[in-house]
Coordinates of all heavy atoms in Angstrom, one line a residue:
S663 N -18.7 -15.4 -17.9 CA -18.7 -16.6 -18.7 C -20.0 -17.4 -18.5 O -20.6 -17.3 -17.4 CB -17.5 -17.6 -18.3 OG -16.3 -16.9 -18.5
A664 N -20.3 -18.3 -19.4 CA -21.4 -19.2 -19.2 C -20.7 -20.5 -18.8 O -19.6 -20.9 -19.2 CB -22.1 -19.4 -20.6
T665 N -21.4 -21.2 -17.9 CA -20.9 -22.5 -17.5 C -22.0 -23.5 -17.2 O -23.1 -23.1 -16.9 CB -20.0 -22.4 -16.2 OG1 -19.5 -23.7 -15.9 CG2 -20.8 -21.9 -15.0
S666 N -21.7 -24.8 -17.4 CA -22.7 -25.8 -17.1 C -22.5 -26.4 -15.7 O -23.2 -27.3 -15.3 CB -22.6 -27.0 -18.1 OG -21.4 -27.6 -18.0
R667 N -21.5 -25.9 -15.0 CA -21.3 -26.4 -13.6 C -22.3 -25.8 -12.6 O -22.8 -24.7 -12.9 CB -19.8 -26.3 -13.2 CG -19.4 -25.0 -12.6 CD -18.4 -25.1 -11.5 NE -17.7 -23.9 -11.2 CZ -18.1 -22.9 -10.5 NH1 -19.4 -22.9 -10.0 NH2 -17.4 -21.8 -10.3
E668 N -22.4 -26.4 -11.5 CA -23.3 -25.9 -10.5 C -22.7 -24.7 -9.8 O -21.5 -24.7 -9.6 CB -23.5 -27.0 -9.4 CG -24.2 -28.3 -9.8 CD -25.7 -28.1 -10.2 OE1 -26.3 -27.3 -9.4 OE2 -26.1 -28.6 -11.2
P669 N -23.6 -23.8 -9.3 CA -23.0 -22.6 -8.6 C -22.4 -23.1 -7.2 O -22.9 -24.1 -6.7 CB -24.3 -21.8 -8.2 CG -25.3 -22.3 -9.1 CD -25.0 -23.7 -9.5
R670 N -21.3 -22.4 -6.8 CA -20.6 -22.8 -5.6 C -20.9 -21.7 -4.6 O -20.9 -20.5 -4.9 CB -19.1 -22.7 -5.9 CG -18.5 -24.0 -6.2 CD -16.9 -24.0 -6.1 NE -16.3 -22.9 -6.6 CZ -15.4 -22.9 -7.6 NH1 -15.1 -24.0 -8.2 NH2 -14.7 -21.8 -7.9
G671 N -21.1 -22.1 -3.3 CA -21.2 -21.1 -2.2 C -22.1 -19.9 -2.5 O -23.3 -20.2 -2.8
F672 N -21.6 -18.7 -2.5 CA -22.4 -17.5 -2.7 C -22.5 -17.1 -4.2 O -22.9 -15.9 -4.4 CB -21.9 -16.4 -1.8 CG -22.1 -16.7 -0.4 CD1 -21.0 -17.0 0.4 CD2 -23.3 -16.6 0.2 CE1 -21.2 -17.3 1.8 CE2 -23.5 -16.8 1.6 CZ -22.4 -17.2 2.4
E673 N -22.1 -17.9 -5.1 CA -22.0 -17.4 -6.5 C -23.5 -17.1 -7.0 O -24.4 -17.8 -6.7 CB -21.4 -18.5 -7.4 CG -19.9 -18.6 -7.2 CD -19.3 -19.7 -8.1 OE1 -20.0 -20.7 -8.4 OE2 -18.1 -19.6 -8.4
K674 N -23.5 -16.0 -7.8 CA -24.8 -15.6 -8.3 C -24.9 -15.7 -9.8 O -23.9 -15.3 -10.5 CB -25.1 -14.1 -7.9 CG -25.6 -14.0 -6.5 CD -26.3 -12.6 -6.4 CE -26.6 -12.3 -4.9 NZ -25.9 -11.1 -4.5
D675 N -26.0 -16.1 -10.3 CA -26.2 -16.2 -11.7 C -26.3 -14.8 -12.3 O -26.9 -13.9 -11.8 CB -27.6 -16.9 -12.0 CG -27.8 -17.0 -13.5 OD1 -26.9 -17.4 -14.2 OD2 -29.0 -16.7 -14.0
G676 N -25.5 -14.6 -13.4 CA -25.5 -13.3 -14.1 C -24.5 -12.3 -13.4 O -24.4 -11.2 -13.8
E677 N -23.8 -12.8 -12.4 CA -22.8 -12.0 -11.7 C -21.4 -12.7 -11.8 O -20.5 -12.2 -12.4 CB -23.2 -11.8 -10.3 CG -23.2 -10.4 -9.9 CD -23.7 -10.2 -8.5 OE1 -23.0 -10.5 -7.5 OE2 -24.9 -9.7 -8.3
D678 N -21.4 -13.9 -11.3 CA -20.1 -14.7 -11.3 C -20.1 -15.5 -12.6 O -19.0 -15.6 -13.3 CB -20.1 -15.7 -10.2 CG -20.1 -15.0 -8.8 OD1 -19.1 -14.5 -8.4 OD2 -21.2 -14.9 -8.2
Y679 N -21.2 -16.1 -13.0 CA -21.3 -16.8 -14.3 C -22.8 -16.7 -14.7 O -23.7 -16.4 -14.0 CB -21.1 -18.3 -14.0 CG -19.6 -18.7 -13.9 CD1 -19.1 -19.1 -12.6 CD2 -18.8 -18.9 -15.0 CE1 -17.8 -19.5 -12.5 CE2 -17.5 -19.3 -14.9 CZ -17.0 -19.6 -13.7 OH -15.6 -20.0 -13.6
Y680 N -23.0 -17.1 -16.0 CA -24.4 -17.4 -16.4 C -24.5 -18.9 -16.3 O -23.8 -19.6 -17.0 CB -24.6 -17.0 -17.9 CG -24.4 -15.5 -18.2 CD1 -23.4 -15.0 -19.0 CD2 -25.3 -14.6 -17.6 CE1 -23.2 -13.7 -19.3 CE2 -25.1 -13.2 -17.9 CZ -24.1 -12.8 -18.7 OH -23.9 -11.4 -18.9
F681 N -25.2 -19.4 -15.3 CA -25.3 -20.8 -15.1 C -26.4 -21.4 -16.0 O -27.6 -21.0 -15.8 CB -25.6 -21.1 -13.6 CG -24.5 -20.7 -12.6 CD1 -24.5 -19.5 -11.9 CD2 -23.4 -21.6 -12.5 CE1 -23.5 -19.2 -11.1 CE2 -22.3 -21.2 -11.7 CZ -22.4 -20.0 -10.9
I682 N -26.0 -22.2 -16.9 CA -27.0 -22.8 -17.8 C -26.8 -24.3 -17.8 O -25.7 -24.8 -17.4 CB -26.9 -22.2 -19.2 CG1 -25.5 -22.5 -19.8 CG2 -27.2 -20.8 -19.3 CD1 -25.3 -21.9 -21.3
D683 N -27.8 -25.1 -18.1 CA -27.6 -26.5 -18.1 C -26.9 -27.0 -19.3 O -26.7 -26.3 -20.3 CB -29.0 -27.3 -17.8 CG -30.0 -27.1 -18.9 OD1 -29.6 -26.9 -20.0 OD2 -31.2 -27.2 -18.6
L684 N -26.5 -28.3 -19.2 CA -25.6 -28.9 -20.2 C -26.2 -28.8 -21.6 O -25.6 -28.5 -22.6 CB -25.3 -30.3 -19.8 CG -24.1 -31.0 -20.5 CD1 -22.8 -30.2 -20.3 CD2 -23.9 -32.4 -19.9
K685 N -27.6 -29.1 -21.6 CA -28.3 -29.2 -22.9 C -28.3 -27.8 -23.5 O -28.0 -27.6 -24.7 CB -29.7 -29.6 -22.6 CG -30.4 -30.1 -23.8 CD -31.7 -30.8 -23.5 CE -32.7 -30.7 -24.6 NZ -34.0 -30.1 -24.1
D686 N -28.6 -26.8 -22.7 CA -28.6 -25.4 -23.2 C -27.3 -25.0 -23.7 O -27.1 -24.4 -24.8 CB -29.1 -24.5 -22.0 CG -29.6 -23.2 -22.5 OD1 -29.8 -23.0 -23.7 OD2 -29.9 -22.4 -21.6
F687 N -26.2 -25.4 -23.0 CA -24.9 -25.1 -23.3 C -24.5 -25.7 -24.7 O -24.0 -25.0 -25.6 CB -23.9 -25.6 -22.3 CG -22.5 -24.9 -22.3 CD1 -22.2 -23.9 -21.4 CD2 -21.6 -25.1 -23.4 CE1 -21.0 -23.3 -21.4 CE2 -20.4 -24.4 -23.4 CZ -20.1 -23.5 -22.4
K688 N -24.9 -26.9 -24.9 CA -24.6 -27.6 -26.2 C -25.4 -27.0 -27.3 O -24.9 -26.9 -28.4 CB -24.8 -29.1 -26.0 CG -23.8 -29.8 -25.2 CD -23.9 -31.3 -25.1 CE -22.7 -31.9 -24.3 NZ -23.0 -33.3 -24.0
N689 N -26.6 -26.5 -27.0 CA -27.4 -25.9 -28.1 C -26.7 -24.6 -28.5 O -26.7 -24.2 -29.7 CB -28.8 -25.6 -27.6 CG -29.6 -26.8 -27.6 OD1 -29.4 -27.7 -28.4 ND2 -30.7 -26.8 -26.8
K690 N -26.2 -23.9 -27.6 CA -25.5 -22.6 -27.9 C -24.2 -22.8 -28.7 O -23.8 -22.0 -29.5 CB -25.2 -21.8 -26.6 CG -26.5 -21.2 -26.0 CD -26.1 -20.3 -24.8 CE -27.3 -19.8 -24.0 NZ -28.4 -19.1 -24.8
I691 N -23.5 -24.0 -28.4 CA -22.3 -24.3 -29.2 C -22.8 -24.5 -30.7 O -22.2 -24.0 -31.6 CB -21.7 -25.6 -28.7 CG1 -21.1 -25.4 -27.3 CG2 -20.6 -26.0 -29.7 CD1 -20.5 -26.6 -26.6
K692 N -23.9 -25.3 -30.8 CA -24.4 -25.6 -32.2 C -24.8 -24.3 -32.9 O -24.5 -24.2 -34.1 CB -25.6 -26.5 -32.0 CG -25.2 -28.0 -32.2 CD -26.5 -28.8 -32.4 CE -26.3 -30.2 -31.8 NZ -27.5 -30.7 -31.1
S693 N -25.4 -23.4 -32.2 CA -25.8 -22.2 -32.9 C -24.7 -21.1 -33.0 O -25.0 -19.9 -33.2 CB -27.1 -21.7 -32.4 OG -27.0 -21.6 -31.0
D694 N -23.5 -21.5 -32.7 CA -22.3 -20.7 -32.9 C -22.4 -19.4 -32.0 O -22.0 -18.3 -32.5 CB -22.1 -20.3 -34.4 CG -20.7 -19.8 -34.7 OD1 -19.8 -20.1 -33.9 OD2 -20.6 -19.0 -35.7
E695 N -22.9 -19.5 -30.8 CA -23.0 -18.3 -30.0 C -21.8 -18.0 -29.1 O -21.7 -17.0 -28.5 CB -24.2 -18.5 -29.0 CG -25.5 -18.4 -29.8 CD -26.7 -18.6 -28.9 OE1 -26.9 -17.9 -27.9 OE2 -27.6 -19.5 -29.2
F696 N -20.8 -18.9 -29.2 CA -19.6 -18.7 -28.4 C -18.4 -18.2 -29.1 O -18.2 -18.6 -30.3 CB -19.2 -20.0 -27.7 CG -20.1 -20.4 -26.6 CD1 -21.0 -21.5 -26.7 CD2 -20.0 -19.8 -25.3 CE1 -21.8 -21.9 -25.7 CE2 -20.8 -20.2 -24.3 CZ -21.7 -21.2 -24.5
L697 N -17.7 -17.3 -28.5 CA -16.4 -16.8 -29.0 C -15.4 -17.9 -28.8 O -14.5 -18.1 -29.6 CB -16.0 -15.6 -28.2 CG -15.0 -14.6 -28.8 CD1 -15.4 -14.1 -30.1 CD2 -14.9 -13.4 -27.8
E698 N -15.5 -18.5 -27.7 CA -14.6 -19.7 -27.4 C -15.4 -20.5 -26.3 O -16.2 -19.9 -25.5 CB -13.2 -19.3 -26.9 CG -13.2 -18.5 -25.6 CD -13.4 -19.3 -24.3 OE1 -13.0 -20.4 -24.2 OE2 -14.0 -18.7 -23.4
W699 N -15.2 -21.8 -26.3 CA -15.7 -22.6 -25.2 C -14.8 -23.8 -25.0 O -14.0 -24.1 -25.8 CB -17.1 -23.1 -25.5 CG -17.2 -24.0 -26.8 CD1 -17.4 -23.6 -28.1 CD2 -17.0 -25.4 -26.8 NE1 -17.3 -24.6 -28.9 CE2 -17.1 -25.8 -28.2 CE3 -16.8 -26.4 -25.9 CZ2 -17.0 -27.1 -28.6 CZ3 -16.6 -27.7 -26.3 CH2 -16.7 -28.1 -27.6
E700 N -15.0 -24.4 -23.8 CA -14.0 -25.5 -23.5 C -14.7 -26.4 -22.4 O -15.4 -25.9 -21.6 CB -12.9 -24.7 -22.8 CG -11.6 -25.5 -22.6 CD -11.0 -26.0 -23.8 OE1 -11.1 -25.3 -24.9 OE2 -10.4 -27.1 -23.8
E701 N -14.5 -27.7 -22.6 CA -14.9 -28.6 -21.6 C -13.8 -28.7 -20.6 O -12.9 -29.5 -20.7 CB -15.2 -30.0 -22.1 CG -15.9 -30.9 -21.1 CD -16.3 -32.3 -21.7 OE1 -16.0 -32.5 -22.9 OE2 -16.9 -33.0 -21.0
V702 N -13.7 -27.7 -19.6 CA -12.6 -27.6 -18.8 C -12.4 -28.8 -17.9 O -11.3 -29.3 -17.7 CB -12.7 -26.3 -17.9 CG1 -11.5 -26.1 -17.0 CG2 -12.7 -25.0 -18.8
Y703 N -13.5 -29.3 -17.3 CA -13.4 -30.6 -16.6 C -14.6 -31.4 -17.2 O -15.5 -30.8 -17.7 CB -13.6 -30.4 -15.1 CG -12.6 -29.4 -14.5 CD1 -13.0 -28.1 -14.1 CD2 -11.3 -29.8 -14.4 CE1 -12.1 -27.2 -13.6 CE2 -10.4 -28.9 -13.9 CZ -10.8 -27.6 -13.5 OH -9.8 -26.7 -13.0
R704 N -14.5 -32.7 -17.0 CA -15.5 -33.5 -17.6 C -17.0 -33.1 -17.3 O -17.4 -32.9 -16.2 CB -15.3 -35.0 -17.1 CG -16.1 -35.9 -17.9 CD -15.5 -37.3 -18.1 NE -16.4 -38.1 -18.8 CZ -16.9 -39.2 -18.4 NH1 -16.6 -39.6 -17.2 NH2 -17.7 -39.8 -19.1
D705 N -17.7 -32.9 -18.4 CA -19.1 -32.4 -18.3 C -19.3 -31.0 -17.7 O -20.4 -30.5 -17.4 CB -20.0 -33.4 -17.6 CG -20.6 -34.4 -18.5 OD1 -20.5 -34.2 -19.8 OD2 -21.1 -35.4 -18.1
N706 N -18.2 -30.4 -17.4 CA -18.2 -29.0 -16.9 C -17.7 -28.1 -18.1 O -16.5 -28.0 -18.3 CB -17.3 -28.8 -15.7 CG -18.0 -29.2 -14.4 OD1 -19.1 -29.8 -14.4 ND2 -17.3 -29.1 -13.3
F707 N -18.7 -27.5 -18.8 CA -18.3 -26.6 -19.9 C -18.3 -25.2 -19.5 O -19.0 -24.8 -18.6 CB -19.4 -26.8 -21.0 CG -19.3 -28.0 -21.8 CD1 -19.7 -29.3 -21.2 CD2 -18.9 -28.0 -23.1 CE1 -19.6 -30.4 -21.9 CE2 -18.9 -29.2 -23.9 CZ -19.2 -30.4 -23.3
Y708 N -17.4 -24.5 -20.0 CA -17.2 -23.0 -19.8 C -17.1 -22.3 -21.1 O -16.4 -22.9 -22.0 CB -16.0 -22.7 -18.9 CG -16.0 -23.3 -17.6 CD1 -15.7 -24.6 -17.4 CD2 -16.2 -22.5 -16.5 CE1 -15.6 -25.2 -16.1 CE2 -16.2 -23.1 -15.2 CZ -15.9 -24.4 -15.0 OH -15.8 -24.9 -13.7
G709 N -17.6 -21.1 -21.3 CA -17.4 -20.4 -22.5 C -17.7 -19.0 -22.5 O -18.4 -18.5 -21.6
T710 N -17.2 -18.2 -23.4 CA -17.5 -16.8 -23.5 C -18.5 -16.6 -24.7 O -18.2 -16.9 -25.8 CB -16.2 -16.0 -23.9 OG1 -15.2 -16.4 -22.9 CG2 -16.4 -14.5 -23.9
L711 N -19.6 -16.0 -24.3 CA -20.6 -15.8 -25.3 C -20.2 -14.5 -26.1 O -19.7 -13.5 -25.6 CB -22.0 -15.5 -24.7 CG -22.6 -16.8 -24.1 CD1 -23.7 -16.4 -23.0 CD2 -23.2 -17.6 -25.2

Side-chain angles (χ1 to χ4, degrees):
S663 298
T665 183
S666 66
R667 82 147 162 78
E668 297 290 320
R670 263 195 321 241
F672 293 103
E673 286 179 335
K674 278 205 193 115
D675 182 45
E677 234 173 72
D678 301 282
Y679 281 107
Y680 298 116
F681 292 101
I682 58 180
D683 65 28
L684 196 57
K685 196 168 153 233
D686 200 6
F687 201 105
K688 288 184 174 169
N689 281 337
K690 286 186 190 304
I691 294 174
K692 264 193 212 141
S693 51
D694 196 27
E695 289 178 52
F696 287 105
L697 198 56
E698 60 78 34
W699 62 269
E700 193 63 30
E701 187 175 4
V702 177
Y703 306 106
R704 192 147 179 244
D705 272 347
N706 281 2
F707 285 70
Y708 296 79
T710 307
L711 290 160

